[in-house]
Amino acid sequence: MRPLTEEETRVMFEKIAKYIGENLQLLVDRPDGTYCFRLHNDRVYYVSEKILKLAANISGDKLVSLGTCFGKFTKTHKFRLHITALDYVAPYAKYKVWIKPGAEQSFLYGNHVLKSGLGRITENTSQYQGVVVYSMADIPLGFGVAAKSTQDCRKVDPMAIVVFHQADIGEYVRHEETLT
């Protein structure tokens, strides 16, 4: 378990900033204590400094995980956000998409969101902007990337993709053996 290098921090913060923008500072400086990001086995963990000090007594090879897994670095050194970060990213999301109840199951099975399943979208969402996908009952379901801007969504045909799937809460069931 080690702190992230400058390059790793920059890559990770750029990815998270796609979803929450300048609210990134709110993740680190929280009212309930100071939190930090640590790297362990190519995975980035979000952990309070209080728990980090307690974990210093455990050797690195015996440590499985610590805190919440925010994502992992791929072999090409790109950062991939995991669904386990949804609870921390969703409250600060700048751009949101709400999908209709009929499209929820399709999204939770890993499919993209079509225009016919789109309930609402945040105004001024640009194309390829990171979005958090919600149900119509305001329950966060996952992450995505806007395939079309808000203005383009109004005039596109119903079978066009409006949000590219990135991660969803259905991954807890589909990939439970690999999520840590």
Side-chain angles (χ1 to χ4, degrees), residues 1 40-41 55 57-66:
M1 177 100 19
H40 184 65
N41 295 337
N57 299 330
I58 301 169
S59 67
D61 58 324
K62 301 250 190 277
L63 188 65
V64 176
S65 74
L66 178 67

Side-chain angles (χ1 to χ4, degrees), residues 37 86 137 164:
F37 294 97
L86 182 65
F164 294 124

Side-chain angles (χ1 to χ4, degrees), residues 34-99:
T34 306
Y35 283 71
C36 58
F37 294 97
R38 290 291 185 256
L39 186 74
H40 184 65
N41 295 337
D42 287 332
R43 296 186 189 278
V44 176
Y45 293 93
Y46 180 65
V47 61
S48 73
E49 288 189 348
K50 190 185 319 179
I51 294 174
L52 186 65
K53 288 177 185 170
L54 295 172
N57 299 330
I58 301 169
S59 67
D61 58 324
K62 301 250 190 277
L63 188 65
V64 176
S65 74
L66 178 67
T68 303
C69 182
F70 245 63
K72 71 175 188 174
F73 283 99
T74 62
K75 301 285 184 202
T76 58
H77 303 291
K78 293 182 178 144
F79 184 71
R80 184 173 185 110
L81 202 60
H82 276 196
I83 191 59
T84 49
L86 182 65
D87 292 336
Y88 297 97
V89 173
Y92 305 118
K94 287 180 69 175
Y95 300 102
K96 302 174 184 178
V97 169
W98 290 265
I99 57 176

Side-chain angles (χ1 to χ4, degrees), residues 53-174:
K53 288 177 185 170
L54 295 172
N57 299 330
I58 301 169
S59 67
D61 58 324
K62 301 250 190 277
L63 188 65
V64 176
S65 74
L66 178 67
T68 303
C69 182
F70 245 63
K72 71 175 188 174
F73 283 99
T74 62
K75 301 285 184 202
T76 58
H77 303 291
K78 293 182 178 144
F79 184 71
R80 184 173 185 110
L81 202 60
H82 276 196
I83 191 59
T84 49
L86 182 65
D87 292 336
Y88 297 97
V89 173
Y92 305 118
K94 287 180 69 175
Y95 300 102
K96 302 174 184 178
V97 169
W98 290 265
I99 57 176
K100 294 176 182 173
E104 284 178 24
Q105 186 173 9
S106 176
F107 181 74
L108 294 178
Y109 280 131
N111 298 319
H112 303 307
V113 178
L114 302 177
K115 166 71 162 90
S116 60
L118 185 67
R120 296 188 331 234
I121 186 168
T122 307
E123 282 298 318
N124 300 327
T125 302
S126 60
Q127 189 175 18
Y128 305 124
Q129 175 67 50
V131 295
V132 175
V133 179
Y134 285 85
S135 69
M136 292 303 277
D138 278 338
I139 299 170
L141 299 176
F143 304 113
V145 174
K148 307 261 188 254
S149 66
T150 304
Q151 290 74 22
D152 293 344
C153 285
R154 292 188 178 115
K155 56 186 176 241
V156 77
D157 94 282
M159 295 310 290
I161 296 172
V162 292
V163 176
F164 294 124
H165 177 272
Q166 294 283 308
D168 64 80
I169 57 176
E171 287 181 22
Y172 284 119
V173 176
R174 291 194 311 271

